[in-house]
């Protein structure tokens, strides 16, 4: 006999077992697909502005490096509709040094106080009754400057004649930077070294050495949604709605800035219209919070596209590297000098210098390495996190080197890499044992996809053909913390509370798939709450491809805890041991006694109320062994690795320098694809963004000033830049600790694109280009230089 | 100030605008349209696309007064079973979704002029719209599917 609990709902029938559950591994649609297509889901900027909202216009610096002598605000104040004008000095009077914020160094004032450090830095803010008035009045502000010697690029910075900051100011966020406090007379805010063996001696002894200096320029994320932030004070609490990937971080920053308890700060988010790293850490939020707090007004800051270009960028990076092989073709030494241009503020640059510097030698078995990776201030827009977190820049170097080394040795670039790639159980140069980083399958799959061994077309004298391959290696951000809270509703649906922000990657959808899998629920019955620090628990950040692994694990744990709790309810009710119960699509079952109860009935029976909820909460924290200060080595530098590869077949027009992509194949080891459709979209999306970085994306600076900060001037990949054929390959080498074996994916395939292309151009027309992007002009110049060996290409 | 009528998805809205008020701002701030969005403000991304009598317009470049009384379509005005809408949904042609309504309207326009466009004609027509998430492969699939669905 099967006991049916009272009020069994008709939906709970045997038949349900055959219905799809949209769990782990299924190509389930995004839950809000229709809203995204019709444009009815609400992004931050879609929220209405209550009457009384003050719109903010920002007056920006025209000097790259100058002392601020005076800020004249009278004309702006006189504009009809202007409510207030606030300068950095005004805020400093209230906030003191707390006005300086930033994730690694407290060096970013939300309005410049005494000195301006780049063209475009915010100097003063105008609050007005409408956005157009605010912007127009901001133009009426006049600033008197006393010019200081500018530091335009890395070379200027290292010469050490002028300094962007008088002294280094590590923030309180990262304890390991504390020893840098007060250091003066340098533009280098952080240096990471990796020393393994004696690289100099190995180079000396080696049979073959190749050397290259590569340059990857600053680029911009350009998500189509512009940043927007509103802030207001409610009962002494500071509340904000903002386009941010890091609500928990922003909450802490605002609490520090205003010197109020965390519980008095609330950060709310909406889905993001893309970000790729530019909507994290300190962007518009400190300014909005400071203005709302000091004026008592509800403020709203909407960045224009020109403003957005001034908020953060990807680091331009120059890398000088050497790679040597012995007579048997073994890689015996790699030396790498990495220089990241972080601009006026360190932002997360010190972390990038370390965490990307540590993979500078590449994912190979190498006997000896010597890496020096530096984060360097200059008087330009500050650089920060961007999809790949500094790794595309070092990959550009190590993949250039190994490709040249293979060619120098007369070997096939694919097979040469393959022989030296790290395998399961190998120790990477940084000292960490490799697990679930399947470079071999990735490189095998992409070369197979493009028919690596098929003959390359002859060409017609104008179009010449070539093929290239590259791999990319990245560590996931570790250590980080994720929490999840789950409410099971009495109707058998569930509500998941996490602070991961869905910005297009589809995290809300895959997190519900994980819950659904554990609880045997249709994942479409699980709602994910948007990050809101009043409700959703702490999460380090949504970035670095960490969420699937970290938040995914917290979500798996919270669902398992819920399962146990529910089994406990049934055990109590039926007087049986919980271990004898299982949870399936119909609910809790005791097979031997033929007892069965739906989740809905169990909850109703427990609480005697419709609409009741059951709550569980769990945490997942990853750990690492901090790298040794002198050698940069660590036996566990990260929780897991990303392995990716790209192979491309292309044609170069030697008349115009144009590059045509015939077939691009990309692969990423994702551990386990929770939702293969979303994984493929991340793989192809990152690859196409990588095509932009390879062929044309670039921020152009003239004496510290960006000259292409509009979408008319800044070129992005359009539908016409799609390869003629594009093949994404999902590699699933399960991670022992991932949720269902899964790891993240968002950055994997942006890493190897540029070097794969450059290798193919080398294959097609014999020129090795080491400066990105591979514009037609640059290709032509190299072809001309190759024809005239007297000149060196750039 | 001018009092004009914005005829949005068949509903007339009386709104007061300046001579210089942009159509995008009028639609978002006065009518409450969410599907037309600013991405660049200079006509280079297509996020602000609306249809005026069936023809695509970058509403970030258009002044509102010129559209007094003109029938306007925005993506949120399209029904769920519209062949273009359903094809985008079924092709997973969205990631962050911010740019997608613009692509949907460009596809409506394309299919009204050309019932079975080639892939080249599809990319020619959609070239001015930028999807930074690079959902392009799925968008192409969606347009092909929409052409098929519209034909039947
Ligand atoms: S906002 Fe109108 S085209 Fe970009
Ligand atoms: S889906 Fe994100 S910009 Fe297109």
């Amino acid at each position: 006999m099967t006991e049916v609990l009272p009020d069994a709902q008709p939906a709970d029938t045997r038949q349900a077992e055959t219905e799809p559950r949209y769990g782990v591994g299924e190509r389930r649609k995004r839950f809000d697909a229709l809203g995204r297509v019709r444009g009815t889901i609400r992004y931050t900027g879609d929220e209405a502005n209550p009457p009384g909202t003050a719109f903010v216009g920002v007056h920006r610096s025209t000097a790259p490096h100058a002392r601020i002598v005076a800020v004249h605000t009278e004309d702006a104040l006189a504009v009809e509709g202007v409510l207030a004008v606030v300068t950095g000095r005004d805020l400093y009077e209230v906030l003191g040094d707390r006005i300086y914020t930033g994730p690694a160094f407290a060096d970013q004032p939300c309005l410049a106080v005494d000195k301006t450090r780049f063209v475009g830095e915010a100097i003063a803010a105008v609050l007005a009754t409408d956005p157009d008035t605010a912007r127009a009045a901001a133009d009426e502000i006049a600033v008197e400057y006393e010019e200081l010697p500018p530091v335009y690029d890395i070379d200027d910075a290292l010469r050490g004649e002028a300094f962007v900051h008088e002294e280094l100011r590590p923030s309180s966020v990262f304890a390991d930077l504390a020893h840098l406090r007060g250091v003066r007379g340098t533009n280098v805010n952080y240096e990471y070294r990796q020393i393994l063996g004696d690289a100099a001696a190995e180079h000396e002894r080696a049979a073959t050495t190749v050397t290259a200096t590569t340059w990857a320029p600053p680029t911009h994320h350009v998500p189509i949604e512009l940043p927007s932030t509103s802030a207001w004070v409610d009962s002494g609490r500071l509340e904000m709605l903002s386009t941010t990937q890091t609500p928990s971080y922003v909450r802490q920053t605002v609490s520090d800035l205003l010197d109020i308890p965390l519980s008095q700060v609330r950060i709310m988010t909406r889905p993001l219209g893309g970000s790729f790293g530019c909507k994290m850490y300190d962007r518009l939020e400190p300014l909005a919070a400071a203005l709302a707090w000091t004026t008592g007004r509800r403020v709203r800051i909407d960045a224009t596209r020109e403003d957005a270009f001034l908020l953060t960028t990807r680091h331009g990076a120059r890398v000088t590297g050497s790679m040597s092989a012995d007579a048997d073709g073994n890689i015996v030494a790699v030396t790498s000098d990495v220089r990241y241009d972080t601009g006026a503020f360190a932002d997360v640059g010190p972390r990038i210098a370390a965490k990307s510097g540590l993979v500078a030698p590449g994912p190979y078995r190498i006997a000896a390495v010597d890496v020096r990776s530096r984060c360097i201030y200059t008087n330009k827009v500050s650089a920060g996190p961007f999809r790949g977190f500094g790794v595309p820049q070092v990959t550009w170097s190590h993949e250039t080197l190994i490709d040249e080394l293979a060619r120098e040795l007369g070997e096939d670039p694919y097979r040469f890499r393959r022989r030296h790639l790290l395998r399961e159980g190998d120790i990477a140069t940084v000292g960490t044992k490799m697990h679930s980083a399947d470079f071999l399958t990735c490189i095998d799959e992409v070369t197979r996809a493009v028919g690596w061994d098929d003959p390359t077309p002859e060409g017609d004298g104008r179009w010449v053909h070539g093929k290239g391959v590259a791999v990319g290696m990245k560590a996931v951000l570790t250590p980080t913390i994720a929490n999840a809270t789950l409410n099971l509703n009495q109707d058998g649906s569930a509500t998941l509370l996490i602070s991961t922000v869905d910005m297009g990657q589809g995290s809300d959808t895959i997190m519900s798939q994980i819950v659904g899998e554990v609880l045997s629920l249709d994942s479409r019955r699980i709602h994910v709450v948007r990050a809101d620090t009043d409700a959703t628990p702490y999460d380090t950040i949504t970035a670095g491809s960490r969420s699937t692994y970290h938040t995914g694990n917290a979500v798996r744990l919270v669902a398992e805890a819920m399962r146990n709790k529910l089994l406990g309810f049934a055990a109590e009710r039926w007087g049986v041991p919980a271990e004898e119960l299982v949870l399936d699509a119909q609910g809790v079952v005791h097979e031997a006694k033929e007892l069965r109860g739906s989740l809905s009935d169990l909850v109703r029976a427990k609480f005697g109320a419709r609409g009741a909820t059951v709550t569980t909460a769990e945490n997942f924290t990853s750990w690492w062994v901090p790298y040794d200060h002198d050698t940069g080595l660590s036996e566990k530098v990260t929780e897991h690795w990303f392995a990716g590869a790209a192979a491309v077949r292309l044609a170069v027009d030697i008349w115009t320098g144009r590059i045509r992509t015939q077939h691009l194949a990309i692969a990423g080891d994702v551990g386990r694809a929770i939702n293969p459709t979303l994984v493929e979209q991340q793989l192809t999306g990152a690859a196409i963004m990588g095509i932009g970085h390879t062929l044309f994306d670039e921020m152009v600076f003239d004496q510290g000033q960006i000259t292409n900060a509009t979408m008319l001037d800044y070129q992005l990949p359009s539908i016409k830049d799609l390869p003629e054929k594009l093949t994404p390959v999902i590699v699933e080498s399960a991670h022992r600790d991932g949720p269902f074996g899964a790891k993240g994916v968002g950055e994997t395939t942006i890493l190897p694109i540029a070097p794969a292309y450059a290798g193919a151009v080398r294959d097609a027309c014999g020129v090795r280009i080491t400066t990105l992007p591979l514009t037609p002009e640059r290709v032509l110049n190299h072809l001309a230089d190759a024809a005239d060996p007297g000149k060196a290409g750039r | 100030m001018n009092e004009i009528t914005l005829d949005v998805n068949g509903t007339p809205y009386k709104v007061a605008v300046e001579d210089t008020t942009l159509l995008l701002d009028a639609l978002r701030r006065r009518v409450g349209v969410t599907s037309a969005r600013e991405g660049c403000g200079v006509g280079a991304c297509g996020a602000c696309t609306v249809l005026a009598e069936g023809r695509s317009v970058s509403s970030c470049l258009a002044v509102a007064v010129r559209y007094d009384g003109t029938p306007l379509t925005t993506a949120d005005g399209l029904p769920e079973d519209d062949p273009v809408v359903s094809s985008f949904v079924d092709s997973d042609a969205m990631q962050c979704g911010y740019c997608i309504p613009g692509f949907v309207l460009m596809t409506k326009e394309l299919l009204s002029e050309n019932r079975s466009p080639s892939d080249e004609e599809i990319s020619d027509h959609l070239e001015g719209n930028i999807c930074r998430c690079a959902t392009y492969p799925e968008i192409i699939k969606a347009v092909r599917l929409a052409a098929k669905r519209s034909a039947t």
Side-chain angles (χ1 to χ4, degrees):
Chain A
M1 192 209 78
T2 300
E3 184 202 34
V4 176
L5 287 167
D7 298 308
Q9 301 195 348
D12 299 315
T13 60
R14 271 275 157 199
Q15 187 203 339
E17 205 155 76
T18 58
E19 281 173 8
R21 291 214 308 273
Y22 303 100
V24 167
E26 291 196 39
R27 290 180 178 272
R28 205 207 112 171
K29 274 189 196 320
R30 287 184 168 74
F31 76 96
D32 51 1
L34 181 64
R36 286 181 193 251
V37 168
R38 292 177 66 237
T40 53
I41 72 165
R42 296 183 90 82
Y43 298 88
T44 302
D46 294 327
E47 294 302 332
N49 303 302
T53 300
F55 295 88
V56 177
V58 175
H59 180 86
R60 297 185 174 281
S61 165
T62 53
H65 194 197
R67 201 151 293 291
I68 298 169
V69 177
V71 182
H72 300 287
T73 58
E74 313 74 34
D75 291 355
L77 272 166
V79 174
E80 193 185 319
V82 168
L83 304 165
V85 179
V86 178
T87 66
R89 191 35 74 183
D90 297 337
L91 291 181
Y92 191 83
E93 300 298 325
V94 183
L95 305 172
D97 272 350
R98 299 197 315 268
I99 196 175
Y100 295 97
T101 62
F105 285 73
D107 59 3
Q108 309 184 29
C110 50
L111 291 174
V113 181
D114 47 350
K115 181 170 155 168
T116 171
R117 295 182 173 86
F118 68 96
V119 175
E121 182 168 6
I123 303 270
V126 174
L127 280 64
T129 51
D130 68 278
D132 302 337
T133 302
R135 284 185 190 130
D139 290 342
E140 299 297 320
I141 293 173
V143 181
E144 283 176 47
Y145 298 105
E146 181 189 307
E147 304 267 349
L148 296 168
V151 180
Y152 285 137
D153 57 31
I154 303 170
D155 297 333
D156 285 352
L158 292 180
R159 256 197 303 281
E161 286 156 8
F163 302 105
V164 179
H165 294 268
E166 285 75 26
E167 62 174 56
L168 303 184
R169 299 170 174 259
S171 77
S172 54
V173 180
F174 297 138
D176 61 306
L177 300 176
H179 66 285
L180 295 169
R181 182 171 312 283
V183 170
R184 299 177 74 92
T186 182
N187 287 311
V188 178
N189 59 49
Y190 193 77
E191 175 170 327
Y192 165 82
R193 292 299 297 260
Q194 187 181 119
I195 310 281
L196 174 69
D198 186 346
E202 294 293 342
H203 279 305
E204 193 71 26
R205 268 200 295 276
T208 314
T209 299
V210 295
T211 298
T213 296
T214 56
W215 168 249
T219 55
H220 199 269
H221 319 64
V222 201
I224 306 301
E225 178 199 34
L226 290 160
S228 171
T229 296
S230 295
W232 60 94
V233 180
D234 186 328
S235 313
R237 303 176 80 236
L238 195 283
E239 301 199 357
M240 305 185 81
L241 172 66
S242 192
T243 48
T244 182
Q245 308 172 221
T246 50
S248 300
Y249 171 89
V250 170
R251 183 194 197 203
Q252 177 69 58
T253 294
V254 169
S255 138
D256 289 344
L257 175 78
L258 305 180
D259 196 20
I260 55 177
L262 279 174
S263 59
Q264 302 304 306
V265 179
R266 178 186 190 189
I267 311 297
M268 286 171 273
T269 66
R270 292 285 180 269
L272 296 187
S275 176
F276 318 108
C278 70
K279 294 172 183 159
M280 57 191 289
Y281 297 126
D282 309 82
R283 300 295 168 243
L284 300 174
E285 293 86 1
L287 177 58
L291 293 176
W293 194 251
T294 55
T295 67
R297 292 184 186 274
R298 184 183 182 109
V299 301
R300 174 158 173 159
I301 311 179
D302 288 299
T304 62
R305 182 55 67 186
E306 288 81 347
D307 293 330
F309 274 101
L310 299 170
L311 293 174
T312 182
T313 75
R314 180 200 202 199
H315 286 80
R318 179 170 308 140
V319 185
T320 301
S322 299
M323 187 180 277
S324 291
D326 65 15
D328 298 327
N330 299 313
I331 305 177
V332 292
V334 170
T335 302
S336 191
D337 183 1
V338 187
R339 300 165 183 195
Y340 289 104
D341 182 347
T342 205
F345 309 134
D347 204 85
V348 78
R351 278 298 189 255
I352 288 177
K355 300 226 168 202
S356 300
L358 68 86
V359 294
Y364 302 105
R365 294 160 160 169
I366 305 166
V369 305
D370 183 343
V371 173
R372 182 186 199 193
S373 174
R374 284 175 285 180
C375 182
I376 302 166
Y377 283 126
T378 59
N379 290 120
K380 294 206 295 289
V381 175
S382 166
F386 190 158
R387 199 176 206 170
F389 206 68
V391 179
Q393 294 94 314
V394 295
T395 306
W396 175 228
S397 166
H398 68 67
E399 289 305 284
T400 296
L401 290 173
I402 195 160
D403 212 73
E404 263 323 289
L405 185 58
R407 287 166 199 279
E408 190 79 20
L409 296 172
E411 299 215 33
D412 177 84
Y414 155 48
R415 291 186 175 80
F416 187 68
R417 281 181 175 81
R418 193 182 196 288
R419 192 157 75 240
H420 298 293
L421 278 170
L422 294 169
R423 291 156 164 76
E424 180 80 21
D426 277 350
I427 311 282
T429 61
V430 71
T432 302
K433 194 185 229 182
M434 303 304 289
H435 165 61
S436 173
D438 197 349
F439 292 102
L440 291 187
T441 306
C442 288
I443 199 169
D444 287 347
E445 288 288 334
V446 293
T447 46
R448 193 168 60 95
V450 302
W452 185 262
D453 291 326
D454 297 347
T456 298
E458 274 301 323
D460 58 7
R462 173 173 175 180
W463 287 95
V464 296
H465 299 254
K467 62 184 179 190
V469 67
V471 293
M473 172 201 209
K474 187 181 177 294
V476 78
L477 181 57
T478 309
T480 67
I481 301 165
N483 290 281
T485 304
L486 185 63
N487 289 332
L488 185 90
N489 303 305
Q490 186 269 324
D491 67 355
S493 67
T495 308
L496 176 65
L497 294 95
I498 49 174
S499 293
T500 290
V501 177
D502 199 322
M503 44 199 168
Q505 82 279 39
S507 52
D508 286 355
T509 301
I510 69 154
M511 294 304 167
S512 65
Q513 289 180 260
I514 292 174
V515 174
E517 187 69 32
V518 175
L519 293 180
S520 296
L521 278 180
D522 179 340
S523 65
R524 295 171 307 173
R525 288 179 64 77
I526 298 152
H527 168 68
V528 181
V529 175
R530 294 156 176 169
D532 172 348
T533 59
D534 265 9
T536 58
Y538 180 85
D539 183 87
T540 307
I541 53 176
T542 305
S545 306
R546 67 172 278 285
S547 297
T548 300
Y549 183 89
H550 289 84
T551 306
N553 263 327
V555 167
R556 177 180 58 87
L557 290 170
V558 84
E560 285 171 2
M562 180 63 75
R563 181 176 60 200
N564 294 339
K565 202 162 185 174
L566 295 168
L567 294 180
F569 288 178
E572 185 187 320
R573 181 173 173 84
W574 292 331
V576 298
E579 305 77 61
E580 291 176 8
L581 299 172
V582 292
L583 183 63
D584 70 14
Q586 271 73 55
V588 179
V589 186
H590 190 288
E591 284 291 350
K593 296 197 171 170
E594 293 193 0
L595 297 170
R596 176 173 293 282
S598 70
L599 297 187
S600 164
D601 297 336
L602 277 171
V603 176
R604 175 99 186 253
K606 173 81 184 171
F607 297 109
R610 296 185 72 224
T613 60
V614 184
T615 303
T616 52
E618 286 294 331
N619 163 267
F620 180 80
T621 302
S622 60
W623 62 280
W624 72 321
V625 179
Y627 29 75
D628 180 89
H629 187 264
D630 299 321
T631 64
L633 305 187
S634 159
E635 65 192 54
K636 190 195 180 216
V637 79
T638 183
E639 189 74 11
H640 68 75
W641 299 93
F642 303 106
V648 64
R649 280 189 176 276
L650 53 72
V652 181
D653 178 353
I654 58 171
W655 292 7
T656 64
R658 223 151 26 104
I659 292 170
R660 201 171 81 208
T661 312
Q662 292 155 322
H663 189 177
L664 175 64
I666 53 210
D669 175 3
V670 303
R672 169 89 191 273
I674 306 270
N675 184 325
T677 299
L678 302 187
V679 166
E680 279 162 10
Q681 287 189 327
Q682 288 292 298
L683 293 175
T684 55
I688 294 166
M689 187 176 269
I691 292 175
H693 290 188
T694 304
L695 300 181
F696 41 74
D697 256 35
E698 175 174 28
M699 295 179 78
V700 180
F701 286 86
D702 181 16
Q703 305 211 314
Q705 178 163 2
I706 312 176
T707 60
N708 61 342
T710 78
M711 283 180 69
L712 288 174
D713 302 309
Y714 190 91
Q715 209 185 333
L716 295 167
S718 82
I719 203 163
K720 288 224 154 169
D721 296 301
L722 271 188
E724 286 160 31
K725 191 171 175 197
L726 180 61
T727 309
V729 184
I730 298 174
V731 174
E732 296 184 290
S733 164
H735 190 280
R736 62 171 91 87
D737 300 322
F740 303 96
K743 304 182 293 184
V745 58
E747 304 166 289
T748 316
T749 51
I750 202 169
L751 315 175
I753 302 297
Y757 269 74
V761 170
R762 168 80 162 81
D763 187 49
C765 44
V767 298
R768 168 63 67 185
I769 306 179
T770 56
T771 301
L772 286 175
L774 309 178
T775 55
E777 187 188 15
R778 189 163 278 136
V779 172
L780 278 187
N781 287 343
H782 276 77
L783 288 170
D785 293 346
D788 175 0
K791 289 196 241 156
R794 245 199 77 84
Chain B
M1 280 285 181
N2 312 280
E3 171 114 327
I4 63 167
T5 301
L6 287 178
D7 175 359
V8 185
N9 304 314
T11 304
Y13 295 83
K14 284 216 179 310
V15 295
V17 294
E18 310 274 357
D19 288 346
T20 54
T21 302
L22 297 171
L23 180 58
L24 177 62
D25 291 338
L27 287 170
R28 288 182 62 86
R29 296 184 198 161
R30 306 284 154 70
V31 181
V33 166
T34 55
S35 62
R37 302 168 173 142
E38 178 167 334
C40 66
V42 292
C45 75
C48 65
T49 304
V50 300
L51 297 180
E53 291 182 297
R55 305 201 63 97
S56 62
V57 171
S58 291
S59 63
C60 72
L61 296 180
V63 285
V65 283
R66 283 200 44 200
Y67 294 87
D68 188 2
T70 309
L72 300 171
T73 306
T74 60
D76 56 289
L78 300 175
E80 276 182 37
D81 62 355
D82 175 90
V84 176
V85 168
S86 68
S87 299
F88 270 69
V89 171
D90 292 343
S91 307
D92 294 294
M94 81 294 294
Q95 291 187 58
C96 79
Y98 206 78
C99 70
I100 296 298
F103 279 94
V104 165
L105 294 177
M106 291 305 288
T107 305
K108 292 293 290 178
E109 181 186 47
L110 170 65
L111 296 181
S112 72
E113 293 165 358
N114 179 348
R115 291 168 65 93
S116 58
S118 66
D119 283 358
E120 202 181 334
E121 287 166 334
I122 294 173
S123 29
D124 280 348
H125 198 80
L126 302 184
E127 185 187 9
N129 287 50
I130 298 296
C131 176
R132 188 53 159 162
C133 301
T135 316
Y136 299 128
E138 294 84 1
I139 290 171
I140 292 185
K141 264 187 240 162
V143 181
R144 289 186 195 138
L145 181 61
K148 221 182 275 164
R149 283 187 183 167
S150 310
T152 54

